[in-house]
Amino acid sequence: MTTAPRGGHPHHRLLGVGYGPSHLSMSALHASAGPAAAGTSLHFLESRDAFSWHPGMLLPGARMQVAFLKDLVTPRDPTSPYSFANYLVSKGRLEPFLNLGTLNPTRREYVDYFRWAADRLAGYVTYGSTAEAIRPVTGPDGRVTRLEVDHRGPDGTRHTVSADHVSLAPGGTPIVPPGVEPGTLRDGTVLHSSSFLGGIRPFHDRGRELPYRFLVVGAGQSAAEIFQYLAGEFPAADVTLAHRGFALMPANSSALANAIFDPASVDLFHGAGPERRRGILAELKATNYAAVDDEDITAVAGLLYDQQVHGGQRLHLSRFTELTGARTEDGLVTATLRDLLTGEERGERHDAVVLATGYDFREARGLLTGVDPYLLRDGDGELLVDRDYSVRTDDGFAPRIFLHGAAEHTHGLTSTLLSLLAHRAGDILDAVLDTPAAGRQDLATPLFEGVHA
């Protein structure tokens, strides 16, 4: 529901940028909240033409690393019709799924669940709309009373929408190592994992049996999955996995370490000082970054061992190796690799280099240029972010700006992950519904009191 225009523009209580799982979760929680959310307008802008989530990594058989109960709504509202369990019922697959005896659906099925929910919540989002700028709107007393967001539709037409609050979840920007020439990404000789399946399709079209040379760069889950995929899909290809360490390291998925993904741990992390937060992130890095599930480490080791048994020489691990450059020459990519033990560099020619190098989740800050003078930062220049994921601002700024993904320094590892999806969306939704735009005091009872973890 769009409320009456302000300043000639449509107005919402909350306008969100990006429509991935974070804002899909918020839509689902809002839609099932009933009278508590009545009359409150939420709307989201998404640059893509339809709902999509990591389409480049929907590899056959790849499973989610979070339990299905950590879906869009269940941790905050177990009775919501937008749960994964209700999705299974609607598809006639509840019993067959339960018979599998797993908490982790395949990635393809979980994305289908997201799309199923997105179809039922289509009224919350405008697809094909790219947000370009956020501007403060001041009242007669000079205080900022609301925000205006400029965005472009698929035909290039510029539009403006007004909102009391803004929520930013544009997703991460693929990290490309320094030295990789931009032209290699355009011509398809270098692929980031985010576009892997689409980027590798031309090699399928040319012929799976050709003796390609592929280089995979990275030490995390995506790198291990892509190495296995290339080894299996291209039986004559030479495939190398290059990473900075000695070996792929297992993800710390122990019960006690995984408590870092609980809401109470976010409270603990947010209440700690900056130095202690950095220590916690470093200590628990292996729960999320540069870490691989045990079964995938075993699978990679199995491929290499099987090659030894049968005398093959096409699959390789390149330890203590860093990619320092990549350029296209005569249709191939020349990768410059540094040996981290000796410092020596070498050039290697490949048909394609795949970067499993992760994402930078600070992109949201590019949208904050117009309001940056009002935002408060710590001594390191990082944004101060309150527990409800809102950026701390000066006293003359009434709207709230919420961050998904760009708050790891204040909220910990879960800021970018699905593990706390429903709790994060619910915390923000509580703040939006309970707090008037004109002030920040006197927080009311949470919307979903009684089902908070």
Side-chain angles (χ1 to χ4, degrees):
M1 178 184 69
T2 304
T3 57
R6 295 192 185 181
H9 304 303
H11 183 80
H12 301 280
R13 182 64 176 273
L14 175 76
L15 182 76
V17 175
Y19 202 65
S22 292
H23 283 154
L24 181 60
S25 174
M26 196 179 299
S27 300
L29 290 170
H30 183 264
S32 52
T40 303
S41 172
L42 272 62
H43 199 73
F44 304 93
L45 304 175
E46 170 54 50
S47 60
R48 298 184 182 185
D49 295 330
F51 184 88
S52 180
W53 185 71
H54 293 299
M57 285 299 293
L58 298 183
L59 305 179
R63 290 194 173 274
M64 298 296 297
Q65 293 174 287
V66 296
F68 73 87
L69 289 172
K70 293 187 174 186
D71 60 18
L72 295 169
V73 291
T74 297
R76 289 287 297 231
D77 183 7
T79 65
S80 170
Y82 302 102
S83 68
F84 182 77
N86 198 42
Y87 156 79
L88 290 174
V89 170
S90 73
K91 297 289 186 177
R93 295 202 305 266
L94 178 60
E95 283 76 15
F97 179 84
L98 293 175
N99 290 339
L100 294 176
T102 181
L103 292 173
N104 305 99
T106 65
R107 204 172 290 157
R108 286 180 171 180
E109 182 176 33
Y110 217 60
V111 170
D112 190 61
Y113 158 59
F114 285 157
R115 291 179 183 141
W116 169 86
D119 287 345
R120 285 155 178 76
L121 297 163
Y124 281 89
V125 58
T126 299
Y127 291 106
S129 295
T130 303
E132 295 186 331
I134 300 173
R135 290 180 285 103
V137 177
T138 57
D141 60 356
R143 287 173 50 85
V144 176
T145 58
R146 67 183 191 277
L147 301 170
E148 290 184 346
V149 179
D150 297 327
H151 61 98
R152 290 191 185 274
D155 60 355
T157 304
R158 188 178 184 184
H159 305 274
T160 300
V161 61
S162 171
D164 292 331
H165 310 292
V166 168
S167 178
L168 302 180
T173 301
I175 293 175
V176 177
V180 175
E181 295 184 358
T184 62
L185 294 161
R186 292 192 294 268
D187 63 29
T189 56
V190 174
L191 319 172
H192 189 271
S193 60
S194 59
S195 58
F196 173 68
L197 285 178
I200 207 67
R201 189 173 298 121
F203 296 94
H204 278 284
D205 295 342
R206 271 179 250 156
R208 293 179 58 246
E209 304 293 333
L210 294 177
Y212 300 116
R213 285 176 53 84
F214 296 124
L215 174 66
V216 183
V217 179
Q221 185 67 27
S222 294
E225 291 179 0
I226 289 170
F227 179 82
Q228 294 174 72
Y229 178 91
L230 293 174
E233 288 292 311
F234 300 95
D238 183 285
V239 186
T240 299
L241 175 57
H243 56 89
R244 294 188 180 103
F246 175 79
L248 299 180
M249 299 304 293
N252 185 350
S253 58
S254 64
L256 296 180
N258 272 354
I260 194 66
F261 302 123
D262 296 341
S265 294
V266 179
D267 294 336
L268 180 151
F269 187 92
H270 190 269
E275 189 64 30
R276 188 68 192 101
R277 289 175 186 167
R278 286 191 286 268
I280 295 172
L281 287 175
E283 178 184 350
L284 295 172
K285 181 179 179 181
T287 62
N288 185 48
Y289 296 118
V292 183
D293 286 344
D294 282 338
E295 56 265 34
D296 287 295
I297 292 178
T298 300
V300 170
L303 288 171
L304 296 171
Y305 180 77
D306 188 65
Q307 176 175 260
Q308 287 183 319
V309 171
H310 297 287
Q313 296 183 9
R314 71 183 190 91
L315 304 179
H316 318 275
L317 290 184
S318 185
R319 299 184 174 103
F320 301 116
T321 301
E322 181 179 48
L323 178 72
T324 60
R327 67 183 186 280
T328 303
E329 295 178 338
D330 302 324
L332 299 176
V333 56
T334 297
T336 304
L337 301 171
R338 177 186 294 131
D339 185 319
L340 295 177
L341 295 181
T342 66
E344 295 179 357
E345 290 193 342
R346 66 184 185 275
E348 293 183 356
R349 301 267 277 172
H350 296 272
D351 291 277
V353 172
V354 184
L355 305 176
T357 45
Y359 299 84
D360 182 346
F361 284 90
R362 293 175 295 177
E363 179 188 8
R365 301 183 189 183
L367 289 170
L368 297 177
T369 303
V371 295
D372 191 69
Y374 301 94
L375 310 182
L376 302 183
R377 300 179 181 273
D378 62 20
D380 296 324
E382 297 278 7
L383 291 172
L384 295 173
V385 185
D386 286 332
R387 178 59 182 85
D388 63 5
Y389 298 92
S390 63
V391 180
R392 198 170 299 173
T393 60
D394 66 27
D395 293 336
F397 194 90
R400 288 187 171 192
I401 297 174
F402 300 94
L403 298 181
H404 304 258
E408 185 175 274
H409 64 294
T410 54
H411 288 67
L413 296 171
T414 60
S415 174
T416 64
L417 303 179
L418 296 181
S419 299
L420 226 64
L421 181 65
H423 284 292
R424 185 169 62 242
D427 288 346
I428 294 173
L429 191 57
D430 282 340
V432 169
L433 297 182
D434 295 338
T435 308
R440 303 189 175 188
Q441 64 282 357
D442 300 324
L443 288 176
T445 301
L447 174 64
F448 302 108
E449 185 178 32
V451 297
H452 283 198

